[in-house]
Amino acid sequence: VVTIAACINALKLVKKDWKDVVVAFSGAGAAGVAIAKLFLSLGVKDVIMCDRKGIICEGNEGMTPAKQEIAAFSNKGKKKGTLADAVNGADIFVDFAHTPDGLEKSLAALKSHCKGRLICLFGCGGNRDRTKRSIMGETVARKADFSVLTSDNPRYEDPYDIIAEIEKGYRRFSVHYAVVPEREKAIYSVSSRASQGARVICSRPPSAKNDWPLSASCAALTAFRTARRALLQADRTANIPLRSPA
């Protein structure tokens, strides 16, 4: 719902309707499918789902039943190719990159359509695979022009310790980054650095649990309520209880 709320405000700024919007997804897991269906219930023109092999399309070889189901409701134009092909022509890009390889592909796809700087905001979760942290840092340092390292659900670890491990990999390739542990301030920092033509990627969409202070402080509460009303009007989501943040 936070993703939908952000898009409602963005579409107002560019004066576009849902019916004219194509949404590209990097990641076709349960979360990606759920959000894709929410976009469809709001009347978007099309959603294009991508897995590690590229665009999911009817007729692809070796598809699992789950991928066949995705192909049935998405990609009306039968587009084929890589993630970069999916991003080309899309109005909204939703990224669920949780691995160095997934993040690299997302950055490469956006870089190919970026007229200005590519700025990446990201962090790594706490109490998870620590070996990925420096690798993620290396990946972003090689692909982005500037990055903001921040906290991403540290769980029971110190956010500064997690960021320090990311920095070890990042600094092998670049020193063009800033450390802003507070996620709210980090996103404001990214926004202030994005000039015309720049592209900003926030790796992993904000979660309702961890990022509600950010959403509220960015005046997204009104958009949240608008999204809630829109979702309640859709048959698929009419029975889902939605609760505003405290």
Side-chain angles (χ1 to χ4, degrees):
V1 175
V2 178
T3 302
I4 298 291
C7 290
I8 286 175
N9 272 348
L11 291 178
K12 286 181 179 179
L13 289 174
V14 297
K15 298 180 180 179
K16 269 198 160 187
D17 294 324
W18 288 111
K19 62 181 178 63
D20 301 318
V21 169
V22 175
V23 188
F25 284 81
S26 173
V33 169
I35 294 181
K37 289 183 175 180
L38 287 181
F39 272 111
L40 287 170
S41 72
L42 291 170
V44 298
K45 184 177 180 180
D46 199 5
V47 295
I48 301 175
M49 310 289 291
C50 296
D51 60 14
R52 65 182 63 185
K53 296 180 180 179
I55 298 173
I56 297 173
C57 179
E58 286 185 333
N60 285 358
E61 294 182 1
M63 286 204 300
T64 63
K67 296 295 173 62
Q68 291 173 1
E69 180 184 348
I70 291 171
F73 72 74
S74 66
N75 196 7
K76 298 175 184 176
K78 310 301 180 187
K79 194 172 190 178
K80 294 189 176 184
T82 64
L83 176 60
D85 295 313
V87 171
N88 186 21
D91 302 281
I92 297 171
F93 175 59
V94 182
D95 174 40
F96 286 92
H98 296 276
T99 64
D101 178 63
L103 184 55
E104 181 171 10
K105 288 179 179 177
S106 296
L107 288 166
L110 287 179
K111 186 70 172 178
S112 64
H113 302 287
C114 185
K115 296 179 181 178
R117 294 198 304 165
L118 179 61
I119 303 172
C120 181
L121 178 148
F122 80 108
C124 293
N127 299 107
R128 293 295 185 268
D129 186 357
R130 295 178 60 179
T131 62
K132 288 183 180 179
R133 296 171 185 173
S134 63
I135 300 173
M136 296 277 272
E138 290 181 12
T139 299
V140 178
R142 286 188 288 105
K143 295 293 182 181
D145 297 303
F146 188 86
S147 300
V148 175
L149 312 186
T150 190
S151 178
D152 181 3
N153 191 9
R155 296 180 177 86
Y156 302 107
E157 288 192 66
D158 187 329
Y160 289 91
D161 291 341
I162 296 173
I163 292 173
E165 292 187 16
I166 296 172
E167 282 187 277
K168 289 178 183 178
Y170 198 102
R171 292 183 66 88
R172 292 179 189 141
F173 291 89
S174 175
V175 294
H176 300 297
Y177 72 97
V179 173
V180 186
E182 299 84 357
R183 195 171 174 87
E184 175 184 351
K185 294 179 181 179
I187 295 184
Y188 278 126
S189 173
V190 165
S191 300
S192 67
R193 295 173 187 274
S195 58
Q196 187 174 5
R199 293 291 182 270
V200 176
I201 177 171
C202 295
S203 180
R204 294 168 56 113
S207 67
K209 178 179 179 181
N210 296 311
D211 289 340
W212 267 122
L214 165 66
S215 300
S217 65
C218 289
L221 185 56
T222 299
F224 172 86
R225 289 169 177 162
T226 303
R228 182 180 187 276
R229 287 195 297 269
L231 293 175
L232 288 174
Q233 291 171 0
D235 291 339
R236 298 179 195 168
T237 56
N239 295 321
I240 297 178
L242 299 174
R243 180 167 55 89
S244 299

